[in-house]
Amino acid sequence: MRKFITGVAFALCCVTSNAQETIKIGVIADRVGVSKPYSEPATEGIVFGADDLNRKGGILGRKIELLIEDDQSRPDISAALARKLIDQGAVFILSMSLTPATQQQQTVTMEAKTPQMTPMNSGDTLTTQLQNPYFWQTGPLGSIQIATLLAHAKSKQLKRVALITDNSDLGQLLGRFFKGGLEKSGIQVVAEEVVARGATTAAPQMQKIRAANPDAMFMAGVLTAENVLIFKAYREMGVRFPIHSSYNLSVPIYMTVAKGLINGVTFVDAYDPEKPEVKAFEAAYKKATGKDPFNLHGYGYDGMMLVAEAIKRAGSTDKEKIRAAMQGLTYAGVMGAKGMKYSFPDGKRAGYDPNGMVVRVYEGDKQGRVVHVGQK
Amino acid sequence: MQDFLELSLSATASGCIYGLVALAYLLMIRPTGIINFAVGEWAMLGAFGGFFFLTRFEFPYLLGMAAVVALMLLVGWGTERLAVRPLVEKGAPLLAPILALLGMLVIFREVISVSFPPDPHPVPYAFEIQHQKYFIIAVTALVFAGAWLFFEKTLWGKSFEAVALNRRAAALMGINLSRVTAAAFAGGAGAAGLAGLLVSPNVSAHYLMGVPLAIQGFTALVIGGVGRVEGALLGGLLLAFAEQLTTRYAPIPSGYAQGVPLLFLMIFLLIRPTGLLRARGA
Amino acid sequence: MRLAAWIGVFAALAALPFFLGSYHNDVYRKMLLWITLALGYNFLFGICGQVAFSHFAFYGIGAYSVVILLFQVNLPLPIAIVLGIVICVLLALAVAIPATRLEGFYLALVTLALAQLFIVVLNEGGAVTGGTGGIANYRLPPILGWRIAGPAYTVVIVALLAATLAVLWRLDRSWFGRACRAVRDNPEAAAAMGVDVARTKVIVFTLTSALAGVAGMVYAFVDNTVNPPIFGLDNAFLILFMVIVGGAGRHAGAAIGAILLFLLPFWLAPLVGHHHQLVFGALVLAAILVQPKGLVGLWDRFSR
């Protein structure tokens, strides 16, 4: 008799536990490699988002299960990990590592028809090099960054500028877009310099720039140490033209390693600390984890929310339905200027609103206020 | 013209850093013939030591610097005992300790990578940013003067030379080979660590800074020649000037300027491997 | 082992991919490629005693060559392959011939500089090399009307491994192999016995570099992407470590070393993350200090 009841109970458990099957979302992050400073906080944002959603009952009545893999900033491992996640049943993959890694994952997701998104990579080529209908990018594109920076600088009547970057792949990519944007606005790039990884000084490059006598200098580099070298050379050469930088300067590490060097530097960012959604996010995050978040956390959080929203709209975990839902999505998140929404109109897969970036300025050593919004 | 003078100052300072790394190689190569690629990681250790003593614990600068040097001497001695001495005593071929040191290179780098977060860490200047270059040049001059005096005038220095010329004869004459080797490694580590400490206020201490420095230092050594202490400094200066003048004045895209030290290395190795300065009496 | 046994082994290796999921297939393929590379490197370093860091760079040169020739210059596949091999051979000769005058570790440094220069050229190559982003979005063109992909492509890799092993094994057994060992152990004695030391070194370097290049060509269609970070410097050291830990001088050693050091990060990932490098460094140190014959040497000792 007892065995019979146990058996029925067991069978019931199996049946009900099937209904409670989780929604698996794969995350490929860099936990230990060169992009860890960006990947780690963004991934924490994702985890917070998933936990928050699960506390409120999950999506479609099911809990979210995050499968987090570490690709160590190695693109060849990245592709293998994408396959692993798909084999494990992930219905969506969030790419939180380097741009080339995301690129490499795309060959896999395209073949396996699995939705994939990067909420933070900014390389424009990710949506143009491969026509992958299952891939979206909601990070702030390099082209949007330069357009926003230029809009801010327009009031300053810039005619001749210098461009400096590093020799990393993203740095070179951003550099190309910056140059293109500048030239399209009729601004002449009078000096174009590269600081190599491992350099001990940026003095020769800064001298060359000084000799060209620009009205301002645009920085497209993404390597922290090399950017610091640029700031130091700037001080040493005694030049005074304004500096406008890519969103790399929004990473908080600069407040410690570039102390005293960045006052007045303007940079594009996707984070407006005065936005009500941001304030709500910061409060909720602090309450749940006890720590203060910063802009990078927001990228991950928005990514998770976008995926959740798409799955909700799709009404199921069928990958095709999710794809269609995401493509038709409009969503207001934490990142971006006040009132900005992510959307993918006309079949485009880059969802960051071109007018959604802000320009902020360093005041002293702290990331300061917003001085300009959008591309107008 | 002012540009050129400024650049010369900057190149001299960078050249001193390369020279110190080259000196580190030289101190170990001369008595033992072992090429220790781990000097780059030693420089990184010096930089992190600087972060530790000067930024974290805020020692006064000279005290912090002394602490770093002391630490590095210990590291050098330890490395020799662990990775070199057992092999030399076993009579292993020269390649073996070189490869063992490659293993150590990876170990050093990963130990730091585990112990500190991967962001660059700030290291303070000795005085301020404008004067750092003079400080680097002054310290380097002192170190090289010391090294030169050591080799030329002291008995210990002469015993180094004797070992370099003929190990067996030196041993027969009563020179303690293992002590010389240990001292060579300790000195090498000290020089490398100093280089790392001096360059780190500019580049910040991070765990990937080792290999580029190791390559630049080795290029400097190849250019200057292994035979003489002055060669290390000369090689370093030439390399730095070539690098920076090319970046500044050459009409090629800046990306290619990184190829300059590599090209130099290859050309010198293939055409004049003994370097510019000949050893005395050679 | 008898020929029949070998054929059986390779048949099994070739059949395996059809039973694996796509993720395991991916790991399996890459492991096979690493074994191929390690075998070639073992011949250069273990059997002939030449330390070089350019092996992985030639892997990259082969990969990029075939992709560029196929898709930018639009040559037919067989010509692209042959031309790619020619490029590797010429480059290897250009480095090896002057370098034979250098002893020991100096060759290693020239090849290290070459490897770094390769990356610089890739990054600055603009439209030809795809610059820092590399080249993607291509597929292996149909061969004789068939599209080879998935597990079928893994069979190609198995074939590559078999061919490489066959070539190196025969060479090892021949007088050339003996000449190489003589050059490794005592160049002066070898010269005295009539071995042309310089020519031997050049041939070995060129041959192994070309083999690495061919492996690279096969790799280009595994991920269907080539970009500079893949061919960076870390992997150059890794090959050396694989051969040392496995047992330099023995084909089995190279294979064991490759398998172990390739799979180790996957097993260690939950424990130590990226820091598996620390384990590698320690393994290499241990190998050199304690058991220079590597794991193969340990195996021998225990099976005696």
Side-chain angles (χ1 to χ4, degrees), chain A residues 42-366:
Chain A
T43 308
E44 283 171 6
I46 295 181
V47 170
F48 166 69
D51 285 344
D52 205 42
L53 283 169
N54 280 344
R55 266 195 294 270
K56 299 183 182 140
I59 317 175
L60 306 175
R62 288 154 68 174
K63 295 245 184 260
I64 302 172
E65 187 186 337
L66 290 177
L67 304 168
I68 305 184
E69 292 290 339
D70 174 14
D71 78 346
Q72 309 163 17
S73 273
R74 286 173 55 179
D76 47 336
I77 294 196
S78 238
L81 290 173
R83 275 184 233 271
K84 181 174 173 192
L85 288 171
I86 295 176
D87 277 356
Q88 285 176 338
V91 298
F92 212 110
I93 295 187
L94 282 166
S95 305
M96 313 300 295
S97 179
L98 295 178
T99 301
T102 306
Q103 169 86 357
Q104 211 131 351
Q105 293 159 30
Q106 278 200 64
T107 40
V108 173
T109 55
M110 189 159 88
E111 194 187 298
K113 300 197 163 73
T114 302
Q116 177 197 359
M117 182 166 84
T118 172
M120 54 185 250
N121 290 143
S122 62
D124 278 56
T125 49
L126 283 174
T127 49
T128 56
Q129 207 173 17
L130 270 182
Q131 295 310 315
N132 180 358
Y134 295 87
F135 174 75
W136 300 274
Q137 176 179 18
T138 52
L141 300 181
S143 53
I144 302 181
Q145 290 184 42
I146 184 62
T148 313
L149 267 181
L150 279 177
H152 167 64
K154 218 190 293 193
S155 54
K156 326 251 167 184
Q157 314 281 23
L158 297 176
K159 302 242 178 2
R160 319 147 34 92
V161 301
L163 178 62
I164 189 165
T165 181
D166 54 44
N167 67 342
S168 66
D169 30 77
L170 186 57
Q172 294 281 302
L173 189 59
L174 287 177
R176 279 211 306 271
F177 273 92
F178 275 33
K179 182 168 177 191
L182 286 165
E183 287 176 343
K184 217 159 61 157
S185 300
I187 301 180
Q188 191 194 6
V189 177
V190 296
E192 208 180 318
E193 294 302 315
V194 174
V195 178
R197 202 193 293 252
T200 47
T201 173
Q205 288 91 338
M206 196 54 71
Q207 271 200 355
K208 233 168 149 178
I209 292 180
R210 183 176 66 182
N213 201 12
D215 301 325
M217 180 169 82
F218 282 79
M219 288 176 65
V222 299
L223 299 176
T224 317
E226 282 66 23
N227 278 345
V228 172
L229 279 180
I230 296 175
F231 290 128
K232 300 206 176 185
Y234 178 89
R235 281 297 125 145
E236 283 175 34
M237 298 290 137
V239 283
R240 295 199 175 275
F241 40 72
I243 304 182
H244 305 298
S245 167
S246 73
Y247 79 147
N248 181 259
L249 261 264
S250 69
V251 175
I253 186 72
Y254 286 101
M255 297 196 274
T256 34
V257 292
K259 247 213 278 227
L261 297 171
I262 44 181
N263 184 26
V265 171
T266 64
F267 60 100
V268 283
D269 199 357
Y271 201 68
D272 180 352
E274 298 302 311
K275 194 163 133 167
E277 287 93 330
V278 172
K279 292 199 163 141
F281 169 67
E282 284 180 351
Y285 190 90
K286 181 103 189 241
K287 185 155 159 234
T289 65
K291 293 193 284 209
D292 284 312
F294 44 90
N295 49 8
L296 293 172
H297 292 92
Y299 286 113
Y301 180 75
D302 272 0
M304 181 69 242
M305 290 300 148
L306 279 163
V307 170
E309 200 50 36
I311 298 180
K312 244 190 272 187
R313 301 255 178 119
S316 85
T317 53
D318 175 69
K319 291 179 184 173
E320 284 307 314
K321 294 204 178 120
I322 297 179
R323 194 202 70 75
M326 181 63 89
Q327 191 63 41
L329 200 59
T330 308
Y331 179 81
V334 165
M335 304 307 286
K338 292 200 181 93
M340 181 193 100
K341 289 198 191 346
Y342 295 103
S343 66
F344 307 98
D346 309 318
K348 265 182 14 178
R349 287 169 294 107
Y352 199 95
D353 183 349
N355 280 313
M357 290 205 82
V358 299
V359 179
R360 294 169 71 184
V361 67
Y362 269 100
E363 293 162 327
D365 290 320
K366 293 245 171 316

Side-chain angles (χ1 to χ4, degrees), chain C residues 32-269:
Chain C
L32 291 176
L33 282 170
W34 276 96
I35 299 178
T36 312
L37 280 175
L39 284 173
Y41 193 71
N42 175 51
F43 200 86
L44 179 65
F45 167 67
I47 294 179
C48 197
Q50 308 297 304
V51 183
F53 290 112
S54 55
H55 205 71
F56 212 76
F58 279 98
Y59 189 58
I61 293 175
Y64 263 92
S65 300
V66 81
V67 172
I68 293 177
L69 290 173
L70 212 44
F71 299 104
Q72 309 242 7
V73 185
N74 288 319
L75 295 174
L77 185 62
I79 301 190
I81 293 180
V82 169
L83 209 48
I85 297 180
V86 168
I87 293 177
C88 288
V89 166
L90 288 177
L91 219 51
L93 284 173
V95 171
I97 295 180
T100 52
R101 304 192 302 149
L102 297 173
E103 19 169 308
F105 211 64
Y106 287 88
L107 173 69
L109 290 156
V110 173
T111 53
L112 187 61
L114 176 69
Q116 292 224 294
L117 257 178
F118 176 57
I119 303 286
V120 171
V121 167
L122 284 183
N123 277 326
E124 301 299 319
V128 176
T129 63
T132 51
I135 308 179
N137 200 16
Y138 58 84
R139 293 186 59 186
L140 181 65
I143 300 180
L144 302 174
W146 285 333
R147 253 253 132 129
I148 307 184
Y153 196 71
T154 312
V155 175
V156 172
I157 301 182
V158 173
L160 171 73
L161 175 59
T164 306
L165 182 58
V167 167
L168 292 174
W169 185 283
R170 294 250 55 210
L171 270 180
D172 188 20
R173 287 280 179 89
S174 72
W175 67 266
F176 185 73
R178 284 199 289 280
C180 288
R181 285 177 209 272
V183 168
R184 174 192 68 189
D185 295 329
N186 196 333
E188 286 96 9
M193 292 201 301
V195 172
D196 185 341
V197 173
R199 203 171 65 145
T200 310
K201 288 194 207 175
V202 170
I203 295 178
V204 170
F205 187 77
T206 310
L207 177 68
T208 52
S209 301
L211 283 173
V214 172
M217 293 185 199
V218 172
Y219 171 70
F221 300 102
V222 168
D223 279 334
N224 283 325
T225 309
V226 283
N227 50 47
I230 300 178
F231 301 110
L233 222 46
D234 288 324
N235 289 324
F237 281 87
L238 188 56
I239 290 238
L240 176 63
F241 289 177
M242 281 177 175
V243 170
I244 292 179
V245 170
R250 304 268 300 269
H251 303 291
I256 294 177
I259 296 176
L260 185 67
L261 290 196
F262 180 71
L263 292 179
L264 216 49
F266 291 98
W267 297 332
L268 292 180

